[in-house]
């Protein structure tokens, strides 16, 4: 039996193929693949078909079949044995049927299930236990998970109206501070020199160019090197405190651990823990990517 897990974002998709020789035993990792990101909210079915046909299927067809020597899967039609689980950003309830149809038509797997990136976080972090699962990367999101389903979700609202705790919001706070706080003039000059930008460049990237949220999040590589600056460190902590107050407080479940997946949570864990302590929460698992936890979740017989 084979299971193929996909964890897809806007820039890349990680695929992991699992195998078991006995339906009563756990699965093991057989192979991993990468393709560009697949997001049905931004890409047409034709675009998604092209990615699957040009990038994924060739990798599946050429990986060493000798790895299947100890299993009962020896025929050429590999896909008919695969249970496919696709998790992705942009897989809203309205887009799930479209995504399932495209995956079914192109790959013809044994079965296919499509879920949001938030469900990926919940299953990866909480497995079958209740908890609060959060995404903290370029953007931010959270949910209350009962061990099987997402039962509550505070709307993320994006980096303009929401996304507290995210890299894009931290970038906005940072750029505002270095231009307005006289105590940060030296840091401002250092950042502009390192980034090879001017104030005018920054204004253009934020207000006139696409993907402003991604640009704002790139400031994190500079910020993390200057956490010894008390103003910067406090800015990071306050950004996370705002996340707890705006996103997890509505669940009213401070008795549950709060788990995180994403680059912001992973790289700023000490500051995240300090913010959680000040807001009365306990941090559970922190992962850079949900794939590790998804492998554990889907490896169970």
């Amino acid at each position: 039996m084979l299971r193929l897990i996909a964890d897809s974002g806007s820039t890349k998709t990680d695929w992991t193929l699992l195998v078991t020789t006995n339906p009563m035993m756990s699965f093991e990792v057989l192979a991993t693949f990468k393709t560009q990101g697949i997001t049905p909210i931004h890409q047409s079915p034709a675009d998604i078909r092209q990615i699957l046909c040009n990038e994924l299927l060739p990798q599946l067809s050429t990986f060493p079949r000798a790895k299947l020597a100890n299993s009962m899967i020896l025929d050429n039609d590999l896909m008919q044995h695969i249970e496919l689980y696709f998790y992705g950003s942009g897989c809203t309830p309205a887009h799930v049927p479209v995504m399932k149809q495209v995956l079914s038509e192109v790959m013809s797997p044994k079965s296919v299930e499509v879920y949001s990136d938030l469900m990926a976080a919940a299953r990866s972090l909480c497995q079958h236990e209740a908890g609060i699962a959060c995404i903290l990367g370029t953007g931010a999101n959270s949910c209350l998970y009962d061990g099987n389903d997402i039962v509550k979700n505070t709307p993320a609202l994006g980096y303009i109206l929401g996304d507290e705790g995210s890299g894009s919001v931290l970038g906005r706070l940072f750029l505002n501070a270095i231009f307005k706080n006289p105590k940060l003039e030296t840091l401002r000059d250092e950042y502009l020199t390192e980034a090879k930008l001017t104030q005018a460049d920054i204004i253009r990237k934020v207000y006139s160019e696409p993907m402003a949220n991604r640009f704002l999040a790139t400031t994190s590589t500079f910020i993390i090197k200057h956490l010894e600056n008390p103003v910067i460190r406090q800015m990071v902590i306050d950004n996370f405190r705002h996340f707890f107050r705006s996103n997890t407080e509505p669940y009213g479940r401070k008795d549950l651990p709060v788990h995180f997946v994403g680059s912001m949570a992973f790289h700023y864990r000490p500051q995240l823990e300090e913010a959680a302590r000040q807001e009365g929460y306990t941090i559970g698992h922190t992962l850079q990517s949900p794939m590790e936890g998804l492998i554990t979740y889907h490896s169970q017989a």
Side-chain angles (χ1 to χ4, degrees):
M1 185 183 295
L2 295 168
R3 288 178 178 169
L4 181 61
I5 309 168
D7 170 36
S8 187
S10 58
T11 57
K12 68 179 178 68
T13 304
D14 292 318
W15 304 79
T16 299
L17 185 62
L18 306 177
V19 66
T20 183
T21 57
N22 185 334
M24 301 301 293
M25 297 176 63
S26 62
F27 287 71
E28 297 179 354
V29 174
L30 180 63
T32 59
F33 314 100
K34 288 186 182 296
T35 66
Q36 65 177 284
I38 296 173
T39 52
I41 200 169
H42 295 304
Q43 294 165 313
S44 68
D47 292 333
I48 296 171
R49 289 189 187 93
Q50 186 173 29
I51 294 169
L52 294 172
C53 291
N54 295 346
E55 299 184 30
L56 178 63
L57 294 184
Q59 295 184 73
L60 279 169
S61 66
T62 58
F63 90 95
R65 296 303 179 94
K67 294 182 179 181
L68 290 170
N70 294 325
S71 75
M72 296 179 288
I73 304 166
L74 298 174
D75 57 77
N76 291 324
D77 191 3
L78 187 69
M79 290 308 305
Q80 70 175 356
H81 299 283
I82 288 180
E83 298 173 351
L84 175 57
Y85 300 91
F86 187 94
Y87 298 88
S89 61
C91 289
T92 65
H95 291 86
V96 164
V98 174
M99 195 69 221
K100 287 184 71 172
Q101 182 176 351
V102 174
L103 290 167
S104 298
E105 291 174 354
V106 174
M107 302 178 69
S108 300
K110 179 181 178 181
S111 62
V112 56
E113 296 181 23
V114 177
Y115 301 97
S116 68
D117 56 348
L118 194 56
M119 179 61 87
R123 287 180 169 178
S124 175
L125 294 164
C126 303
Q127 298 295 313
H128 296 284
E129 301 293 328
I132 298 172
C134 308
I135 300 172
L136 282 182
T138 298
N141 208 342
S142 70
C143 69
L144 179 62
Y145 180 70
D146 67 2
N148 291 296
D149 300 303
I150 293 172
V151 293
K152 287 185 180 180
N153 167 232
T154 305
L157 299 181
Y159 74 102
I160 295 177
L161 297 179
D163 274 2
E164 301 86 1
S166 70
S168 58
V169 169
L170 180 62
R172 174 167 56 79
L173 295 171
F174 169 74
L175 292 174
N176 180 281
I178 62 173
F179 287 112
K180 295 186 177 182
N181 188 337
K183 295 180 180 179
L184 298 180
E185 287 182 357
T186 300
L187 202 64
R188 176 199 63 200
D189 294 342
E190 184 179 346
Y191 169 74
L192 293 177
T193 298
E194 182 176 309
K196 298 179 180 178
L197 295 170
T198 65
Q199 180 178 334
D201 292 331
I202 291 170
I203 295 298
R204 185 185 70 255
K205 285 181 174 293
V206 171
Y207 291 101
S208 301
E209 295 183 5
M211 302 297 182
N213 59 329
R214 292 188 190 177
F215 165 69
L216 291 170
T218 63
T219 61
S220 180
T221 58
F222 181 87
I223 292 169
I224 202 166
K225 295 185 295 185
H226 294 84
L227 290 174
E228 76 284 351
N229 184 302
V231 176
I232 297 301
R233 182 177 181 276
Q234 192 60 51
M235 182 187 301
V236 173
I237 293 172
D238 288 345
N239 189 32
F240 289 143
R241 291 188 70 182
H242 196 188
F243 172 84
F244 286 114
R245 292 174 182 176
S246 300
N247 296 277
T248 63
E249 190 68 26
Y251 304 136
R253 294 298 306 270
K254 289 191 175 182
D255 58 304
L256 292 175
V258 186
H259 308 286
F260 291 89
V261 65
S263 57
M264 286 294 293
F266 186 81
H267 292 295
Y268 292 93
R269 170 130 190 176
Q271 292 73 41
L272 180 61
E273 289 179 337
E274 175 60 21
R277 185 191 65 79
Q278 293 183 28
E279 295 299 323
Y281 291 95
T282 301
I283 300 295
H285 303 302
T286 304
L287 299 175
Q288 188 168 10
S289 164
M291 183 56 80
E292 178 184 346
L294 288 174
I295 290 172
T296 300
Y297 183 90
H298 288 290
S299 292
Q300 301 169 25

